[in-house]
Amino acid sequence: MRINVVTIFPSFFDVLEVSLLGKARGRGLLDVRVHDLRDHAHDRHRTVDDTPYGGGAGMVMTPEPWGLALDAIAADADSRPVFVFPSPAGERFTQSTARELADSPHLVFGCGRYEGIDERVFSYAATLGEVRLISLGDYVLNGGEVAAMAMIEAIGRLVPGVVGNPESLVEESHEDGLLEYPSYTKPASWRGYDVPDVLLSGHHGKVAEWRHEQQLERTKQRRPDLLD
Ligand code: JCQ
C-alpha cells in the first residue's frame, strides 16, 4: 500500500520509522512518502495561508500549493488514490473506516492547519480520486497531522503481513462491536490482587463464557452507545 502525506510539518511523521509500521516499511509492505506543502508555495515567504473571504477569525490554507502538491502525487500514481482530509467536520473514523481504507492501494492524507483548507481543494481533489473528510472524534486539534498518524496506524496494521499474528486482529476491541475482555499474565497473585480463578481452571468453554460476560458488562458500563 502506498501512503502519501501532505503537511507543513513533515517531521511529525518521523515516528512512522519506528515500531510495527517502521518494520512494515522496511519490508516493503507500506510505502509512506511525506511531502512538505511549502515546497509547492512559490512566493518569497513560501506562504500557505491567507485571510478568509467573508471575514472571520484566523487564516485559511490557500489552494495553489495544495493543487500543485496533489498534481505531483497524482502524476506519480498507478491508480486513482483515496484522498483523506482529517477534519473535525468530517464523517467519524471507526474500525470499519480503517478496514475500508486498508483495501485501497493508494491513500493520500492532506493535513490542514489554521482554520482549515480552502473548500475548492476538496472539489479539485475529487477530480483526481475519491475524497473523504474524516474526523477522529468530537474535539479540535491544531492540525490534521496527529489525526492522520492515528488513522495511518489503524489502517496500516490491517494491511496483510504488517501484524505478524492475524488472529490478534480479530480478537480485539471493536472488531466484534464490544470492548475487549480484561487480560492477565503471571504472576497469579500480585500485591494482593489475584487473577480470576476461571482463567487458571484450564476449562476453555468456561473461559470463553466468562470473557464474553466481561465484554458485555464493560461495554454496558463504559460504552452503552455500542449496544444500541
Ligand atoms: C480530526 N478530529 C479532529 C483542524 C481544520 C481540514 O481542516 C482542519 C483540520 C483540523 C485538524 O483535524 C482535527 C480533527 N479529527 O482537528 C481544523
Side-chain angles (χ1 to χ4, degrees):
M1 167 186 276
R2 180 180 299 180
I3 299 178
N4 291 101
V5 179
V6 181
T7 172
I8 58 168
F9 292 117
S11 62
F12 268 52
F13 295 87
D14 288 355
V15 294
L16 291 177
E17 280 161 36
V18 300
S19 191
L20 205 71
L21 294 195
K23 279 182 205 135
R25 287 176 81 178
R27 286 155 56 213
L29 295 170
L30 294 178
D31 174 11
V32 184
R33 305 178 188 187
V34 182
H35 311 268
D36 189 341
L37 182 68
R38 286 193 201 278
D39 290 346
H40 298 279
H42 296 307
D43 65 307
R44 249 170 49 78
H45 302 288
R46 305 218 296 162
T47 311
V48 293
D49 64 333
D50 209 332
T51 53
Y53 275 120
M59 302 290 271
V60 174
M61 289 188 115
T62 189
E64 292 97 334
W66 277 104
L68 295 171
L70 300 185
D71 282 344
I73 289 168
D76 193 38
D78 304 322
S79 57
R80 284 167 68 81
V82 177
F83 293 90
V84 177
F85 293 93
S87 166
E91 55 168 315
R92 188 64 173 270
F93 185 79
T94 66
Q95 191 65 25
S96 314
T97 322
R99 279 194 297 264
E100 282 170 30
L101 294 174
D103 277 334
S104 171
H106 187 184
L107 302 177
V108 180
F109 285 87
C111 302
R113 282 265 149 184
Y114 314 108
E115 301 311 305
I117 304 173
D118 186 301
E119 191 69 19
R120 293 168 292 182
V121 171
F122 309 124
S123 309
Y124 181 65
T127 68
L128 303 174
E130 184 189 349
V131 172
R132 295 177 74 166
L133 271 68
I134 305 186
S135 167
L136 273 195
D138 295 335
Y139 40 80
V140 181
L141 304 171
N142 285 330
E145 284 79 5
V146 168
M149 197 91 73
M151 294 182 210
I152 290 168
E153 182 155 321
I155 295 160
R157 61 196 295 286
L158 298 179
V159 171
V162 171
V163 168
N165 178 4
E167 273 184 36
S168 58
L169 293 176
V170 271
E171 268 206 22
E172 282 169 341
S173 280
H174 297 296
E175 281 294 347
D176 58 4
L178 296 174
L179 300 187
E180 180 74 300
Y181 53 76
S183 305
Y184 299 87
T185 184
K186 290 171 275 297
S189 186
W190 175 73
R191 298 192 178 191
Y193 300 94
D194 293 339
V195 173
D197 283 333
V198 62
L199 298 179
L200 309 175
S201 70
H203 194 304
H204 296 302
K206 285 196 173 142
V207 168
E209 194 186 337
W210 180 84
R211 284 178 168 168
H212 190 64
E213 284 164 11
Q214 291 288 315
Q215 284 192 281
L216 287 171
E217 189 52 38
R218 294 165 73 134
T219 307
K220 199 168 85 182
Q221 290 296 323
R222 301 175 189 171
R223 292 294 307 279
D225 57 300
L226 294 178
L227 294 173
D228 297 338

